[in-house]
Amino acid sequence: MSFEDLPKDWPARPLDDVSVGASVVDLCVSDRDRGVGGLSVLLCRTDRTLSQPVFVEEVPGSELCEVVARMVEAGSHLPGVGGVVVSVVRPWGAVTDLDRAAHQSALEACRGSGIPLLGMYVVTRASVTHLPLAEGLELHPGGASRDAPDAA
């Protein structure tokens, strides 16, 4: 699914559904953002629907994990935020060890702040790639991941 295939009721759908989440990320991250690169954070309501997209441009790789943690922490202090979707954004390339480290940083920040990580993606001009969890890990604080059985 891409943003062009989103159902008409997508604003009412929770972003922890990977097909909806990936498509909403595709919608919210512009081609310009993909060309510049950075970090996308979708702030979600307590029902896990999109509240507000945020984009931080040109995050140096050496600072990516710290910026991820800061953005999650900031989101956890905003009223009505019930989860986040985090995406590493760049023009091209496959999933890297830095992307995996950013994913781990997001997991730890979410666990520490009590805000659910609803999804983690790598976004390029060519694709939106979901980063699944290893089996047995939790995506949502205090709850089982919906992705765990599908993880490789």
Side-chain angles (χ1 to χ4, degrees):
M1 189 183 292
S2 75
F3 75 90
E4 295 169 336
D5 301 320
L6 276 167
K8 290 181 183 185
D9 70 340
W10 73 263
R13 296 205 183 186
L15 298 190
D16 56 353
D17 175 326
V18 174
S19 64
V20 174
S23 297
V24 172
V25 166
D26 191 33
L27 175 68
C28 291
V29 179
S30 71
D31 189 55
R32 181 195 176 284
D33 294 341
R34 295 169 203 232
V36 171
L39 182 71
S40 168
V41 178
L42 304 183
L43 301 175
C44 297
R45 297 176 181 91
T46 56
D47 66 358
R48 301 176 192 259
T49 59
L50 178 64
S51 176
Q52 181 65 48
V54 178
F55 186 74
V56 180
E57 287 186 4
E58 301 176 351
V59 178
S62 62
E63 297 175 23
L64 181 61
C65 291
E66 181 181 341
V67 173
V68 166
R70 284 183 175 181
M71 292 298 294
V72 169
E73 177 66 21
S76 73
H77 295 290
L78 297 173
V81 173
V84 293
V85 174
V86 178
S87 301
V88 177
V89 180
R90 62 173 166 269
W92 56 273
V95 175
T96 67
D97 287 342
L98 183 57
D99 300 328
R100 291 181 190 92
H103 189 192
Q104 184 64 36
S105 181
L107 285 167
E108 291 170 5
C110 285
R111 199 168 282 129
S113 67
I115 188 170
L117 178 63
L118 304 179
M120 181 80 186
Y121 300 88
V122 174
V123 180
T124 67
R125 286 188 166 144
S127 67
V128 175
T129 303
H130 178 246
L131 299 180
L133 293 175
E135 191 166 341
L137 291 181
E138 292 181 355
L139 183 63
H140 309 291
S145 168
R146 291 184 180 171
D147 296 331
D150 300 330

